[in-house]
Structure formats: structure tokens, C-alpha cells
Amino acid sequence: EVNLVESGGGLVQPGGSLTLSCAASGFALEISAYVMTWVRQAPGKGLEWVSVLDSYGNAYYTNSVEGRFTISRDNSKSTLYLHLNSLKHEDTAMYYCANLRRPFSGSWWWSPSAEIQFRGQGTQVTVSS
């Protein structure tokens, strides 16, 4: 059984930083073999793409987080990370890690809900002064 457990969320002031972690277990292969993603959902809104890391190590970011967020992984710990810098009020959301059903090459028009195979329970990020 695949299990994804996010952690690291919290309350942070605008301009601050956080690092989110996602511990993965139950996959047949190392997490580097999968296309992994961070998505988020703000109150009253739908699921939104944030970043994708494919099996070749290519990282993709939406325009809203490009230059501020960094996605990475540690195969030895079977953990996916999202480093959040220069946080803004509009980054407030529940953040989820997930793996995708198929290869990704910047296809932000895809529906995240339709592309996700397994998803964790999420970790809350609140940006407020």
C-alpha cells in the first residue's frame, strides 16, 4: 500500500520560509522512478499545481511560485521536499504531495485531480502577519 505523509507546514510571516517534507512508502521502486508533484488547495478553491519533479530530475514550477519554491528529493530517505521562500499571503493553502499517472512536461492545463494517482493527507501552510 502506497503511503505519502506530509509534514513541515505551519504559520509564517510574509517573506518567511518553510520546508515541507513528504515521506513516501509502499512504492515498488525508488521515488526517483516516479513523477512526483506538490499541489495545493486554498480555502474555497480547487486543487492547484505548484511544482513537479519528473524521473529525469527535471523540475517544473508554475509562474506563481517560480523563483521562490524549490522541489527536491532524497532517494535514501524516500522523501520529497518543497522549499518555500519569500512566502506571500496568497501561498496560504493545504499542500499535498502526490505522484502522477503519466509523464509530465509542463502540461499545466491538465487537471491535477485527474492526473494524481496517490496523494497524502496534506500539511497546512498559513502566511499571515
Side-chain angles (χ1 to χ4, degrees):
E1 178 185 357
V2 171
N3 199 27
L4 297 168
V5 180
E6 302 93 337
S7 61
L11 174 64
V12 62
Q13 292 186 341
S17 299
L18 281 175
T19 295
L20 307 183
S21 300
C22 172
S25 62
F27 282 114
L29 305 172
E30 290 186 333
I31 60 169
S32 59
Y34 300 91
V35 182
M36 302 298 294
T37 185
W38 287 95
V39 295
R40 66 187 181 186
Q41 187 167 23
K45 296 188 176 181
L47 209 57
E48 176 190 23
W49 293 108
V50 176
S51 180
V52 175
L53 183 62
D54 71 14
S55 57
Y56 298 101
N58 298 310
Y60 301 87
Y61 303 95
T62 59
N63 288 338
S64 61
V65 306
E66 178 82 55
R68 300 188 299 120
F69 292 8
T70 303
I71 191 170
S72 64
R73 65 185 170 221
D74 185 335
N75 277 336
S76 66
K77 297 181 180 180
S78 197
T79 300
L80 181 74
Y81 300 99
L82 186 68
H83 308 276
L84 296 74
N85 296 311
S86 303
L87 282 161
K88 305 176 181 180
H89 289 289
E90 51 265 41
D91 294 318
T92 294
M94 184 71 78
Y95 284 72
Y96 302 91
C97 75
N99 75 299
L100 301 185
R101 299 179 186 276
R102 54 174 169 165
F104 182 90
S105 56
S107 309
W108 299 121
W109 59 88
W110 291 354
S111 165
S113 297
E115 299 299 326
I116 286 172
Q117 183 178 22
F118 299 106
R119 190 181 78 175
Q121 294 299 307
T123 186
Q124 177 68 39
V125 172
T126 302
V127 184
S128 175
S129 53

